[in-house]
Amino acid sequence: MAGAMGREKSQSKASPLHRHVIRPAICCSRLQNGPAGRDRRVRLDDRLDTSDQWMQFPIRVLVAMLGLLVFMCAGGCGQAGSGNASPPATRTPGPDAAAARYRATIDADMRLIGRAYDRPTCTTRELCVQYLTQVKGATETLIADLNSVSPPPGLTVPAERVGMAAQRFLDDVNTAISAAGQPAGDYQSAAGRPNSHDVDLAVAELVCWPAQPVNAGGEGDYSCG
């Protein structure tokens, strides 16, 4: 009996210590269920949501890139499969550019005639014929360019004048070649007979149109007044 009472006393003495040990666990569980615990859970949920977003970001980028590649492939394949694809557009030069190019071509041909024409007096029959033949070739080049390229608007009349003057000059050169080739002919006189003044003036008028050339056909080069 005394032993039983002793055990009851020992148990009664141990129970407060046991309750004291259990209370912190209950307290902690209450704290976890309180506002602070909820805040920690919210922050944890936010971290999980942020990690999910970072995991979804590369997937979205890959999906966007895949869609772009499909779109580009569809456009390229459609153009490649079309049998009636239009040719690439070509740029048409404007009126000013076409006129400038035409003037430059005719002026270059006339300068070629001038280099062949302005030669020292030939001393032999062969040299005179050779000199006249070079002038003839340069004049034929000028006439060929006039016939192969249509003059731009506004240069039709000056181009016709150049053509007529060049043809007359070519006729004179052919006559001089024939005369210089005659065994008894005066080849030096025949070589100096063709005169390029008219064709030179006509070309200067075309290059300077609608202005008038200054010193065309004279000594030295001309200018547009």
Side-chain angles (χ1 to χ4, degrees), residues 200-201 204 213-223:
D200 195 6
L201 178 60
V214 178
N215 195 37
E219 294 294 332
D221 203 355
Y222 64 87
S223 61

Side-chain angles (χ1 to χ4, degrees), residues 125 179-185:
R125 188 181 307 276
Q182 298 294 328

Side-chain angles (χ1 to χ4, degrees), residues 102-103 105-113 135-149 159 161-163 165-167 169 199-200 202-203 206:
Y102 186 82
R103 288 188 175 104
T105 300
I106 302 305
D107 185 62
D109 291 342
M110 188 63 223
R111 293 182 184 276
L112 183 62
I113 295 174
V135 175
K136 175 182 178 180
T139 307
E140 289 175 343
T141 299
L142 172 61
I143 295 175
D145 287 338
L146 289 169
N147 293 332
S148 61
V149 181
R161 293 174 182 170
V162 173
Q167 188 60 54
F169 180 67
V199 64
D200 195 6
V203 170
L206 183 145

Side-chain angles (χ1 to χ4, degrees), residues 66-142:
L66 181 60
L68 180 60
L69 289 175
V70 171
F71 176 77
M72 294 175 62
C73 180
C77 294
Q79 292 181 357
S82 177
N84 297 325
S86 58
T90 56
R91 269 182 123 175
T92 302
D96 296 338
R101 186 167 57 187
Y102 186 82
R103 288 188 175 104
T105 300
I106 302 305
D107 185 62
D109 291 342
M110 188 63 223
R111 293 182 184 276
L112 183 62
I113 295 174
R115 286 195 295 269
Y117 185 81
D118 297 333
R119 294 287 181 88
T121 303
C122 48
T123 56
T124 63
R125 188 181 307 276
E126 290 76 13
L127 286 177
C128 287
V129 172
Q130 181 181 359
Y131 149 71
L132 291 170
T133 302
Q134 292 175 354
V135 175
K136 175 182 178 180
T139 307
E140 289 175 343
T141 299
L142 172 61

Side-chain angles (χ1 to χ4, degrees), residues 176-188:
I177 292 175
S178 178
Q182 298 294 328
D186 186 354
Y187 53 86
Q188 290 183 337

